[in-house]
Amino acid sequence: MNAEKVFFGALSDGTEVHALRLTNASGASVTVLDYGATVQSLLVPDRDGKLVDVVLGYDSAADYERNDVFLGATIGRVGNRIANAAFSLNGVTYKLARNDGANHLHGGLRGFDKVLWDMQAEGSSIICTRLSPDGEEGYPGNLRVSVRFTLTEDNALRIAYDAVSDRDTLVNLTNHSYFNLNGGGTVLDHRLRVFAERFCEGDAGCLPTGRLLPVEGTPFDFRAEKRIGDDIGAEHEQLLRAGGYDHNYCLAGARAALLKSEETGISMSVDTDLPGMQLYSGNFLKTHPGKGGREIKKRGALCLETQLYPNALNCWGFPSPVLRAGQSLHSETVYSFTTF
């Protein structure tokens, strides 16, 4: 495995951002930035052996700093939404930033996506670590976090999360890569299968209400493979509220999803030890330039974010995001690429 570290650019305050690239024997590669522990590029071979960059990204540190759509970033402390930007833990109420209407989203105004991580290569892995100090973005506890990105020789990207805190706190880590297996254009022709029979009902602000709805008989049924665009325009209340898909699926097992492109012949499977996965169809992406002149636009990519269920502390029966002091969190998600 070949590893290469290069200067990527500078932030507005002059802070240097670096990139680390791993390349395997087939030529597949992953590039990770120390800013946001961000997957900047993921090149995999198509059916003809041509390398395709299957994730959205930017060419400059300045673009990552000024844009707020979380392209490829590690999200924390708590991914997704928390109602009313507050939570109670051990009898204490903690107030968070209201950065999504009245709610808290993706860790706050300066979440894990907007900070510099320590980054190093180790064999076939890139390891990003940081200490999130007590009180950062309103969360209690000094939280030590490690994210390991491993590129395998059979073209899989394994993302392993580890965390430990000195106080009880909340943690729900995920990666916010936007995938397009064509390397450009729309994802509406991508074929998707999701291994889930229920999904979380969302309110007008895409915040889970606590109700779990069956996918059967709805546009949310991806148990059999179908095109993303087949039902995205259906007159369904949940689609209308979110402008498309932006919902947590309650996974049935370790296999979360299968995504395919007929154009390139690339297939991506998603496996995880987490109970949920957010399907987001890029409904709120605004047209602007990305890396290599590639246009970023509405529904030009989709996210498959493995996670705990959003707004969990406010919804009875949801898997808890509470990490107790001294306990270790470990979770893994694997994105595997093949061709057909």
Side-chain angles (χ1 to χ4, degrees):
M1 189 74 62
N2 179 53
E4 179 187 13
K5 188 173 185 178
V6 298
F7 172 71
F8 185 76
L11 304 177
S12 57
D13 64 0
T15 300
E16 293 188 351
V17 175
H18 291 87
L20 249 175
R21 171 174 289 185
L22 295 175
T23 305
N24 69 13
S26 73
S29 68
V30 61
T31 302
V32 175
L33 306 180
D34 53 10
Y35 183 68
T38 297
V39 176
Q40 187 265 345
S41 173
L42 182 56
L43 291 165
V44 298
D46 68 6
R47 63 163 64 94
D48 298 319
K50 177 184 176 182
L51 292 174
V52 178
D53 195 343
V54 296
V55 295
L56 300 188
Y58 299 114
D59 287 324
S60 74
D63 280 333
Y64 280 102
E65 184 178 20
R66 67 172 152 257
N67 286 288
D68 59 356
V69 288
F70 310 100
L71 299 190
T74 295
I75 303 299
R77 290 188 187 189
V78 175
N80 220 300
R81 297 170 174 88
I82 298 177
N84 300 314
F87 66 92
S88 294
L89 182 62
N90 301 330
V92 178
T93 297
Y94 296 92
K95 295 185 178 180
L96 309 171
R98 292 176 178 250
N99 62 330
D100 185 53
N103 305 316
H104 179 78
L105 177 68
H106 288 338
L109 299 175
R110 191 168 183 263
F112 287 5
D113 60 299
K114 295 294 185 186
V115 297
L116 209 66
W117 295 62
D118 293 325
M119 182 175 69
Q120 63 180 358
E122 184 181 283
S124 60
S125 299
I126 296 169
I127 305 170
C128 296
T129 58
R130 76 176 299 257
L131 171 65
S132 175
D134 182 36
E136 184 174 57
E137 288 296 320
Y139 291 96
N142 293 294
L143 183 74
R144 294 191 176 277
V145 186
S146 172
V147 185
R148 178 185 288 263
F149 302 90
T150 301
L151 180 65
T152 69
E153 290 297 343
D154 58 353
N155 301 337
L157 177 64
R158 306 180 67 92
I159 305 179
Y161 306 93
D162 288 276
V164 63
S165 175
D166 62 0
R167 295 177 60 191
D168 292 355
T169 192
L170 303 190
V171 182
N172 183 20
L173 302 170
T174 192
N175 178 268
H176 210 302
S177 285
Y178 288 75
F179 294 98
N180 183 316
L181 304 185
N182 296 336
T186 179
V187 290
L188 293 180
D189 286 332
H190 281 43
R191 304 190 68 84
L192 177 66
R193 185 178 179 190
V194 178
F195 295 80
E197 296 186 353
R198 297 182 299 172
F199 69 101
C200 292
E201 178 186 58
D203 66 12
C206 298
L207 183 81
T209 64
R211 292 183 63 200
L212 303 181
L213 304 180
V215 300
E216 187 172 2
T218 77
F220 293 84
D221 192 350
F222 285 93
R223 292 175 298 173
E225 180 185 302
K226 70 176 181 181
R227 292 174 61 255
I228 298 292
D230 281 353
D231 297 321
I232 200 169
E235 292 292 317
H236 188 282
E237 182 182 28
Q238 287 296 298
L239 287 174
L240 295 173
R241 285 180 176 181
Y245 298 107
D246 192 6
H247 296 77
N248 177 72
Y249 278 80
C250 308
L251 301 177
R255 176 58 51 90
L258 285 170
L259 184 67
K260 294 181 179 179
S261 163
E262 296 286 349
E263 180 178 318
T264 61
I266 297 173
S267 175
M268 180 182 80
S269 63
V270 184
D271 293 270
T272 186
D273 53 14
L274 291 166
M277 182 189 72
Q278 190 85 3
L279 167 60
Y280 174 50
S281 52
N283 314 318
F284 305 115
L285 286 176
K286 296 179 180 179
T287 301
H288 65 286
K291 60 189 173 187
R294 176 174 166 183
E295 189 176 66
I296 294 170
K297 60 184 179 180
K298 180 179 179 180
R299 295 178 182 164
L302 62 83
C303 300
L304 299 170
E305 303 161 70
T306 57
Q307 61 183 1
L308 300 176
Y309 300 177
N311 197 31
L313 284 188
N314 297 303
C315 299
W316 184 87
F318 278 17
S320 175
V322 175
L323 179 64
R324 297 297 180 186
Q327 290 185 347
S328 296
L329 174 151
H330 177 79
S331 177
E332 294 191 20
T333 294
V334 183
Y335 298 93
S336 302
F337 298 88
T338 56
T339 56
F340 61 96

